[in-house]
Amino acid sequence: MIIGVPKEIKNNENRVSITPAGVFTLCKAGHQVYIETKAGIGSGFSDDEYKNVGAKVCTCDEVFAQSDLIVKVKEYLECEYKFLREDQIVFTYLHIANDLPFAQALIDSKTTAIAYETVEFNHDLPLLTPMSEVAGRMAVQIGANMLQKGNGGSGLLLGGVPGVMPAKVVIIGGGKVGLNAAKIACGLGASVEVFDISAKRMAYIDDISNGSIHTIYNNEYSLQETLKTADLVIGAVLIPGAKAPKLVTEDMVKTMKEGSAIVDVAIDQGGCIETCDRITTHDNPVFVKHGVLHYSVANMPGAVPRTSTVALSNATLPYILKLADKGLGALRDDPGFMKGLNTYQGYFTCKAVAKALGDKY
Ligand code: NAD
């Protein structure tokens, strides 16, 4: 099969869908990879690195025209819709439930489109996990920076020093984002609390951290009390398929200390903190409300494209290889992979996405 890798054109998107290691694996398995020139530059991979492992470096038009399978990171932008066609498979983050024009373009062109975000394995979303891991770890380093005096914060070092108390980090939601944030905050010496409602998850976090990450059953009262003394709050709640619940109200934020910081990672699902009422960008990520610094960037992994590209590619490559080997037979063999299929021959084929688009169709 010929696998095409276009350069991402979305603003500030520096990831690429396949690393040279991925190209090596695909070529060794007998496939061909056409990659657009400079597609890997933003992630630190040169055209020569791709050429050296067997890729053909070519123009954008050639990639889309020649390939049987297009592998991307982000959804198609309007100027790319012209490349969609019935006899091509597209594998990428689609997010069409929130993107009606792209959904319509996929239906009109009868493209076979498989979304990273709906592929399942063992009731988990394996192609979303790596980005949650990146965002969780980033949340702490971003929060640590926000707390510095020069950045408008209270002037606290997360871990303190001998003789000085560490900062208090409150993480709401102890899933993939939350646990990764907790591990980094704990490693830096901060005092860490994780609020969740899953007893099983809290037992797991308690076990692996040997009790050094404090887990607390989330209810309104406990949260409101702890926020009064929090230095860094990280929002990491997810209710699959739904908007994030607003667990931290504006009144609670008003009780927080001057110069404390909030990173609402769940902002891509609407955010779980009421005062995170806007999506910010990497160019201007922080705003201040009630004396508290707020960060609400919806594509946090985009700031560390090298790490994010490799992490994403590690997760997607086995699926790309299966698709290249077996075509759509790969989906028939694996019900979890089949859940990734969002559009086929002009129809929506993913229940959750069709439901979300609902009465528009
Ligand atoms: P996850 O499913 O692994 O974890 C969510 C956790 O929230 C679970 O442990 C669940 O028990 C907990 N939870 C649910 N309801 C709760 C409540 N009322 N109180 C406390 N905890 C509750 O999800 P994840 O992969 O960790 O993702 C978390 C969020 O981060 C999602 O919205 C995801 O889309 C987002 N995310 C954002 C970025 C970004 O760049 N901003 C990147 C990656 C992920």
Side-chain angles (χ1 to χ4, degrees):
M1 196 180 259
I2 299 181
I3 299 127
V5 180
K7 182 169 164 46
E8 296 299 321
I9 56 168
K10 196 166 178 169
N11 188 23
N12 267 321
E13 183 51 74
N14 286 302
R15 287 173 289 176
V16 60
S17 59
I18 301 187
T19 61
V23 172
F24 177 87
T25 305
L26 290 164
C27 291
K28 204 171 166 203
H31 304 292
Q32 285 176 272
V33 179
Y34 282 37
I35 184 163
E36 184 177 342
T37 180
K38 295 196 171 50
I41 287 294
S43 296
F45 297 118
S46 67
D47 286 353
D48 281 346
E49 282 176 85
Y50 284 104
K51 260 189 223 160
N52 291 342
V53 288
K56 183 171 171 356
V57 176
C58 48
T59 64
C60 170
D61 284 352
E62 282 172 312
V63 169
F64 282 107
Q66 302 294 328
S67 308
D68 308 299
L69 166 64
I70 293 289
V71 182
K72 270 176 58 61
V73 178
K74 298 302 289 183
E75 71 278 5
Y76 282 48
L77 300 188
E78 203 182 331
C79 60
E80 294 170 307
Y81 292 173
K82 61 175 184 276
F83 295 123
L84 292 169
R85 51 174 222 250
E86 190 173 357
D87 61 342
Q88 199 168 55
I89 304 173
V90 170
F91 190 33
T92 187
Y93 285 121
L94 288 175
H95 292 295
I96 49 174
N98 287 322
D99 188 351
L100 208 53
F102 183 34
Q104 188 64 57
L106 289 169
I107 294 300
D108 292 345
S109 59
K110 300 190 172 157
T111 302
T112 301
I114 307 165
Y116 293 159
E117 69 272 13
T118 58
V119 172
E120 287 188 18
F121 181 72
N122 276 348
H123 305 292
D124 216 339
L125 303 170
L127 305 186
L128 270 188
T129 298
M131 295 306 101
S132 288
E133 291 167 344
V134 170
R137 289 174 184 222
M138 272 183 78
V140 177
Q141 74 185 48
I142 285 164
N145 262 302
M146 288 161 78
L147 289 176
Q148 289 181 24
K149 200 71 192 166
N151 296 331
S154 56
L156 271 182
L157 181 65
L158 272 191
V161 287
V164 182
M165 285 287 281
K168 181 168 124 178
V169 178
V170 174
I171 299 167
I172 310 163
K176 277 150 236 132
V177 169
L179 180 55
N180 277 277
K183 277 202 250 183
I184 298 296
C186 207
L188 286 174
S191 159
V192 183
E193 294 177 357
V194 173
F195 282 69
D196 206 301
I197 49 171
S198 160
K200 196 171 162 198
R201 190 65 182 171
M202 287 189 282
Y204 173 72
I205 294 173
D206 186 75
D207 277 350
I208 59 157
S209 71
N210 211 8
S212 56
I213 298 170
H214 305 292
T215 54
I216 300 166
Y217 185 82
N218 189 26
N219 59 51
E220 200 177 332
Y221 179 77
S222 311
L223 194 56
Q224 120 192 331
E225 288 308 302
T226 208
L227 289 178
K228 292 174 186 164
T229 52
D231 298 297
L232 170 60
V233 176
I234 296 174
V237 166
L238 176 69
I239 299 175
K243 276 191 93 160
K246 300 282 180 207
L247 298 174
V248 176
T249 62
E250 182 153 9
D251 283 344
M252 290 184 194
V253 173
K254 283 182 186 163
T255 69
M256 287 177 64
K257 293 187 288 185
E258 181 90 17
S260 53
I262 290 175
V263 177
D264 195 354
V265 185
I267 192 70
D268 62 337
Q269 300 292 333
C272 60
I273 290 154
E274 198 175 26
T275 44
C276 277
D277 52 6
R278 68 201 83 162
I279 288 179
T280 58
T281 63
H282 290 295
D283 293 336
N284 189 16
V286 178
F287 63 95
V288 181
K289 210 162 181 181
H290 305 306
V292 177
L293 281 75
H294 291 62
Y295 174 102
S296 50
V297 172
N299 64 333
M300 293 171 67
V304 287
R306 175 77 179 202
T307 302
S308 302
T309 284
V310 179
L312 180 63
S313 182
N314 288 344
T316 55
L317 186 62
Y319 290 96
I320 298 168
L321 192 57
K322 279 194 250 182
L323 268 180
D325 285 344
K326 300 183 179 175
L328 293 181
L331 304 185
R332 286 188 281 272
D333 288 354
D334 176 353
F337 197 4
M338 182 64 98
K339 292 210 165 147
L341 188 68
N342 276 214
T343 63
Y344 181 61
Q345 292 185 348
Y347 292 96
F348 291 113
T349 48
C350 175
K351 210 172 175 181
V353 169
K355 206 170 156 198
L357 287 164
D359 43 7
K360 292 161 204 133
Y361 280 90

